[in-house]
Amino acid sequence: MSLRDFAGNGNRPAAAVVAVACIVVGAANGAALPDERPSAEVLRGSPDWTPPTAEHVRAQAMSWLKEQKADKATRERAERLWKSLGEAPTATDRLAALAMTFAMVDPRADRLVRTCAAPRRGIELPDVAWLGGPDVGPLVSANLRLLLGRWLVHESLFDEACERLADLKPEDVVDPASLLFCQAVVHHRLLQKDQG
């Protein structure tokens, strides 16, 4: 019987006993107890994976549109898109809005965004060699690779997702949690223990 079975049957005391047993066994094996705080040295070395704010991402998107010499109508449409996100958009919302902003100007990005918005049809995958080209900046490349990688994971194409997500880092993208989650799923499904 699993822990889920205990919790699902209303047998909360049994689930609590199992949880406490896990903590005690972990402590006996050298794991920190929940009330122990990590040392300052450990905290100093911890990465900062805080996603950028919506305003920061919006500013990057608008700056990119300006670099692309987007016309006034396109910039206004992009502004409406970003305003439609509301006051507290999630990191996933910011990634989607950023990708849609790219799609407003670049037909290749438009095809990729449309592909990733629907279930896979057939065996042919989108051509994304252009994401590594010299005319594509890191903002576009990293975030569209994440969008594609997330779609590939959803479609259970783990080898392909591994290739797209391999060298991306949380600080490269506007949704670091999605990146880390997708990378973890890929490593788990491909039995890559060391990377996972």
Side-chain angles (χ1 to χ4, degrees):
M1 190 173 271
S2 72
L3 196 59
R4 181 178 294 160
D5 293 330
F6 281 119
N9 293 331
N11 196 346
R12 301 221 189 277
V17 168
V18 171
V20 170
C22 290
I23 292 170
V24 170
V25 169
N29 290 325
L33 290 173
D35 62 340
E36 291 181 8
R37 298 192 185 274
S39 69
E41 184 177 317
V42 169
L43 290 175
R44 218 175 300 117
S46 297
D48 179 16
W49 290 334
T50 305
T53 65
E55 185 52 38
H56 178 75
V57 178
R58 188 199 68 75
Q60 286 182 301
M62 294 304 119
S63 175
W64 180 83
L65 283 174
K66 189 175 181 181
E67 289 171 13
Q68 302 303 309
K69 297 179 176 42
D71 60 28
K72 183 179 177 185
T74 302
R75 291 194 310 272
E76 288 173 353
R77 196 164 41 125
E79 284 289 358
R80 285 193 303 274
L81 168 68
W82 284 93
K83 284 181 184 170
S84 73
L85 296 180
E87 291 188 23
T90 65
T92 303
D93 293 337
R94 294 190 290 266
L95 175 63
L98 188 61
M100 286 188 276
T101 303
F102 300 148
M104 290 178 187
V105 174
D106 190 329
R108 302 169 300 182
D110 183 52
R111 282 191 298 276
L112 182 59
V113 168
R114 287 177 189 276
T115 298
C116 294
R120 180 169 55 111
R121 296 183 184 102
I123 59 171
E124 191 173 327
L125 295 177
D127 175 26
V128 291
W130 61 274
L131 286 174
D135 63 325
V136 180
L139 178 70
V140 176
S141 178
N143 286 288
L144 288 182
R145 284 176 55 206
L146 171 57
L147 186 77
L148 175 60
R150 194 177 66 180
W151 180 78
L152 291 167
V153 167
H154 185 266
E155 296 296 325
S156 299
L157 298 169
F158 303 111
D159 288 311
E160 293 82 353
C162 185
E163 183 181 338
R164 296 294 163 227
L165 301 173
D167 60 344
L168 285 180
K169 296 177 182 60
E171 58 270 16
D172 297 336
V173 295
V174 299
D175 187 2
S178 284
L179 173 64
L180 293 170
F181 177 78
C182 289
Q183 287 173 331
V185 169
V186 165
H187 295 317
H188 172 74
R189 293 304 298 250
L190 297 179
L191 304 177
Q192 299 171 334
K193 284 172 42 176
D194 293 338
Q195 296 94 320

